[in-house]
Amino acid sequence: MEKSLEFIKRNYSPLVLAYLGDSFYETLAREYVISDGDCVVSKLNETIKSIITAVSQSKIVAIVLPELTETETWFYKSGRNARNTHHARSAEAVEYRRATGLECLYGYYYLSGNYKRAKELFIFAMKRLENTEG
């Protein structure tokens, strides 16, 4: 069910969107990792962990931020600036906030039914990340 932008802004806090976006983002990551075909599950888990951590998501924000529309930037910033008392031990506070912003954006994509844009941006980021890291 597609929901309007105003419905999402009015009825969902950025942290709820981030909660939902976290699972959607992880699903996209899993799809991406298995897209090359069958492999050992332990290797899959290792690869997934390198994509879905707050540190990795923070790096991805740096890649995708210039590509975002005004609306997408609004959702990202809403998540990034949300008051969250939780902090991952494996990431700096800034990295964690940026990751929360990215997850909020993916929560927006999911609720708005904009799966095509979500996947497009995810693949764009993965390709750029792969090119810079090796």
Side-chain angles (χ1 to χ4, degrees), residues 1-3 8 108-116:
M1 177 168 123
E2 194 169 315
K3 295 183 179 164
I8 294 169
Y108 157 68
Y109 287 144
Y110 184 82
L111 283 181
S112 66
N114 200 350
Y115 310 132
K116 183 179 177 185

Side-chain angles (χ1 to χ4, degrees), residues 94-121:
V94 170
E95 293 169 322
Y96 189 78
R97 286 197 329 267
R98 289 172 59 139
T100 302
L102 184 68
E103 291 168 350
C104 181
L105 175 62
Y106 275 86
Y108 157 68
Y109 287 144
Y110 184 82
L111 283 181
S112 66
N114 200 350
Y115 310 132
K116 183 179 177 185
R117 173 64 173 157
K119 193 168 189 173
E120 172 187 285
L121 199 64

